[in-house]
Amino acid sequence: MNIKLTGTLLLLGAMLGPVGAYAEDSTTDTPGQYLDDSVITTKVKAAFAEDKWVKGFSINVRTDHGVVDLNGTVNSQNQSDHATELASQVKSVIAVHNNLTVMPR
C-alpha cells in the first residue's frame, strides 16, 4: 500500500472514530458493519448540515444495520418529513425511523 493511500485511510479512520460511537448495538456488529453504519450516520448528518430546511436543528442520528433512527425536535411536520426524505436518499440506508417531535415556534 502506498504512503499516500495509507495516510488517507488513517485520516478517514480518525475522522470516523468518534462518529462510530453512534452505532446502536456495536456488540453484535462485525467491524465492516460497524464502519458501514458509521459512514451512513456521517452522510446523513452531512446532508442535514447542508440542507436549509433542517440545518441547525438538534437531530440525533443513529444507525444500526442500515436502519437510521432520527430523534430530536423540529418546527414543523414538513421539516420532519423532509429529514426522513434526506436520510432515505443516503446510499445503503435500508429504512428510516422518524422519532422527531414537532415543536412549533
Side-chain angles (χ1 to χ4, degrees):
M1 190 178 301
N2 69 38
I3 294 173
K4 188 174 184 178
L5 179 58
T6 303
T8 301
L9 290 174
L10 287 173
L11 178 61
L12 179 61
M15 289 171 39
L16 291 177
V19 174
Y22 290 110
E24 186 70 30
D25 183 12
S26 61
T27 59
T28 61
D29 290 346
T30 64
Q33 183 64 52
Y34 186 75
L35 182 59
D36 290 347
D37 287 342
S38 297
V39 170
I40 290 170
T41 295
T42 300
K43 288 182 178 181
V44 171
K45 287 183 173 187
F48 288 174
E50 295 173 1
D51 187 85
K52 67 180 181 179
W53 296 105
V54 295
K55 181 180 188 175
F57 285 100
S58 179
I59 299 175
N60 183 353
V61 180
R62 302 184 103 187
T63 306
D64 187 30
H65 291 87
V67 177
V68 175
D69 289 317
L70 304 178
N71 294 289
T73 58
V74 292
N75 289 337
S76 71
Q77 187 61 49
N78 286 343
Q79 289 170 330
S80 177
D81 294 343
H82 188 66
T84 299
E85 182 180 333
L86 286 174
S88 297
Q89 293 173 356
V90 170
K91 184 179 179 184
S92 300
V93 169
I94 295 169
V96 177
H97 295 161
N98 183 330
N99 304 309
L100 297 172
T101 301
V102 176
M103 301 286 288
R105 300 189 237 185

